[in-house]
Amino acid sequence: MKKVIDLSLYLVTDSELMSTPTLEEAVEQAIIGGCTVVQLREKTASSREFYNTALSVKRVTDKYNVPLIINDRLDIAMAADADGLHLGQSDLPISAARRIFGDDKIIGISVSTFSEAKQAQAEGADYLGVGAMYKTGTKTDAADVTMDELKHIRAAVNIPIVVIGGINKTTLPAFYGTNIDGISVVSAIIAQPDITSAAAELKRMVKNLR
Amino acid sequence: MKKVIDLSLYLVTDSELMSTPTLEEAVEQAIIGGCTVVQLREKTASSREFYNTALSVKRVTDKYNVPLIINDRLDIAMAADADGLHLGQSDLPISAARRIFGDDKIIGISVSTFSEAKQAQAEGADYLGVGAMYKTGTKTDAADVTMDELKHIRAAVNIPIVVIGGINKTTLPAFYGTNIDGISVVSAIIAQPDITSAAAELKRMVKNLR
């Protein structure tokens, strides 16, 4: 049966931005601070490197019983027995991924428009990553989503929504009361000198989203 | 049941080198000339682009009942229902790929040393791509394999072997009588002005390998 996952503080990794010597340490410190789900994102690694990193990060997430989601690569997600897969609009279609990955696994997708959001729900996505809400250094190609568009999407779909792109302790209060399910964060956690404290501070704040 | 495949004239695609407007045309002309198996290799495409290309090339290979093998990406191979997967030394381990892809599918691997060849056979590879035999513009990172090393590998493994790297009508006669199963070719077919004739000429020559 599919796991019910808490998306409230959703960490996306970036091996080039982290403040710790290893990704495993960064992930562990973020989980201790309160991250509820971890997405492993590796855009330049070889398949073997991505696979090995997934196995070793999974030892950390398993230790804390936090779900691990793999960005883009369904084969890596399956080989590492991850809990889920996060797709972008230029990755495999949800239908193809679902057929292979199975109904018990989580499949999320990034959307930046109302029509992408509606389509993703219709195709069986388990959650949406909506953004980029703000300009960000980590996803320079992402389109911008306005607060009105976010509210429009929130009203139109019933699957969980996390916002992505430039979310940090300064921008987060703008989402209070928007009834979204969580925030997806890269540098506001992983690039901070004290990852655990940064995660803990955001964790206290996300209670105000609903 | 696993297909028995004829590896004698093994085309590897390269979207940047082909002499035709579309990859589908290049593949069709190569098959008409006598290519017996096609490996789709896309190192810069997005997952969606790779998937769409795999579906459209598979319509061509299916039309001629020629096996389609996907380079590196097990997820693309599964999503497109390809016949096989070709791994490099920095791709997924054979054991992980086999567990997911199943026993009925073909898994080949590139090796450049005797120990890699022995290990690949032990791990259940269905065939070896041994090379690079010569310097080549398409795989600049590949190690060189001497003719003595090739003979050493041929004597030590019983799975099929194709040679890769710089194989063309000038270099091919060096492999006459070496008892290998085929040649793997990129530019000597796909970059030629007349792809069908280039493939047909190599097809006549590969009869002398055994």
Side-chain angles (χ1 to χ4, degrees):
Chain A
M1 219 188 76
K2 192 174 307 206
K3 281 190 191 173
V4 175
I5 63 168
D6 176 353
L7 296 165
S8 62
L9 189 54
Y10 184 135
L11 175 70
V12 180
T13 68
D14 189 316
S15 298
E16 284 163 23
L17 284 179
M18 66 201 182
S19 61
T20 51
T22 72
L23 191 55
E24 292 79 359
E25 290 169 271
V27 167
E28 181 155 25
Q29 291 172 19
I31 292 173
I32 291 170
C35 283
T36 57
V37 52
V38 175
Q39 178 191 133
L40 182 61
R41 183 166 180 271
E42 293 284 340
K43 284 300 186 191
T44 56
S46 71
S47 295
R48 180 70 65 101
E49 290 163 344
F50 198 169
Y51 172 64
N52 287 336
T53 302
L55 290 181
S56 93
V57 168
K58 187 161 189 287
R59 282 191 286 272
V60 178
T61 55
D62 279 355
K63 177 176 165 190
Y64 295 93
N65 200 28
V66 162
L68 176 65
I69 291 179
I70 302 294
N71 182 282
D72 178 7
R73 295 289 300 269
L74 173 59
D75 48 356
I76 305 297
M78 294 179 78
D81 192 26
D83 302 285
L85 174 69
H86 187 87
L87 298 170
Q89 294 291 324
S90 57
D91 300 337
L92 278 177
I94 294 172
S95 56
R98 179 67 75 194
R99 195 170 63 239
I100 298 164
F101 205 21
D103 289 334
D104 293 348
K105 296 290 192 176
I106 298 154
I107 300 181
I109 184 161
S110 294
V111 301
S112 58
T113 66
F114 181 78
S115 67
E116 285 174 357
K118 290 286 285 181
Q119 189 186 343
Q121 172 164 283
E123 290 177 356
D126 293 307
Y127 72 87
L128 303 181
V130 177
M133 298 308 302
Y134 301 98
K135 298 275 179 217
T136 154
T138 53
K139 288 272 281 185
T140 49
D141 59 335
D144 288 331
V145 176
T146 66
M147 196 60 78
D148 277 350
E149 286 169 322
L150 173 65
K151 289 174 184 169
H152 192 200
I153 291 170
R154 173 68 293 175
V157 305
N158 55 29
I159 54 176
I161 289 177
V162 296
V163 285
I164 62 178
I167 314 296
N168 54 45
K169 63 185 177 183
T170 309
T171 57
L172 176 49
F175 300 93
Y176 286 175
T178 54
N179 215 25
I180 59 172
D181 301 88
I183 62 167
S184 181
V185 167
V186 187
S187 54
I189 292 179
I190 212 163
Q192 302 310 305
D194 185 337
I195 289 176
T196 299
S197 296
E201 183 172 11
L202 292 172
K203 181 69 172 249
R204 286 189 294 273
M205 295 174 77
V206 294
K207 294 188 174 69
N208 301 311
L209 293 174
R210 309 205 73 133
Chain B
M1 219 186 78
K2 193 173 306 205
K3 279 189 191 173
V4 175
I5 64 169
D6 176 354
L7 295 166
S8 62
L9 189 55
Y10 184 136
L11 176 69
V12 179
T13 68
D14 189 316
S15 298
E16 284 164 22
L17 284 178
M18 67 201 182
S19 62
T20 51
T22 71
L23 191 55
E24 293 79 358
E25 290 169 88
V27 167
E28 181 155 26
Q29 291 172 21
I31 291 173
I32 291 170
C35 283
T36 57
V37 52
V38 175
Q39 178 191 134
L40 182 61
R41 184 169 180 270
E42 293 283 342
K43 284 299 185 191
T44 57
S46 71
S47 295
R48 180 70 64 98
E49 290 165 342
F50 198 169
Y51 172 63
N52 287 335
T53 302
L55 290 181
S56 99
V57 168
K58 186 160 190 288
R59 282 191 284 273
V60 178
T61 55
D62 278 355
K63 178 176 166 190
Y64 295 94
N65 200 27
V66 162
L68 176 65
I69 290 177
I70 302 294
N71 181 282
D72 179 8
R73 295 289 300 270
L74 172 59
D75 49 355
I76 305 296
M78 293 178 78
D81 192 26
D83 302 284
L85 174 69
H86 186 87
L87 298 170
Q89 294 291 324
S90 56
D91 300 337
L92 279 178
I94 294 172
S95 56
R98 179 68 75 194
R99 193 171 63 241
I100 298 165
F101 206 20
D103 289 336
D104 293 348
K105 295 289 192 175
I106 298 153
I107 299 180
I109 185 161
S110 294
V111 301
S112 58
T113 66
F114 182 78
S115 68
E116 285 174 357
K118 289 286 285 181
Q119 189 186 344
Q121 173 166 281
E123 290 178 354
D126 294 307
Y127 72 87
L128 303 180
V130 177
M133 299 308 303
Y134 301 99
K135 297 275 180 217
T136 153
T138 51
K139 288 271 280 184
T140 47
D141 59 335
D144 287 332
V145 176
T146 66
M147 196 60 79
D148 276 350
E149 286 169 323
L150 173 65
K151 288 174 184 168
H152 192 199
I153 291 169
R154 173 68 294 176
V157 304
N158 56 29
I159 55 177
I161 288 175
V162 296
V163 286
I164 62 177
I167 314 295
N168 55 43
K169 63 185 177 183
T170 307
T171 56
L172 176 49
F175 299 93
Y176 286 174
T178 53
N179 215 27
I180 59 170
D181 301 88
I183 62 168
S184 181
V185 167
V186 187
S187 56
I189 292 179
I190 213 163
Q192 302 309 305
D194 185 336
I195 289 176
T196 299
S197 296
E201 183 172 9
L202 292 172
K203 181 70 172 249
R204 286 188 295 273
M205 296 174 75
V206 293
K207 294 190 172 68
N208 301 311
L209 293 174
R210 311 206 69 134

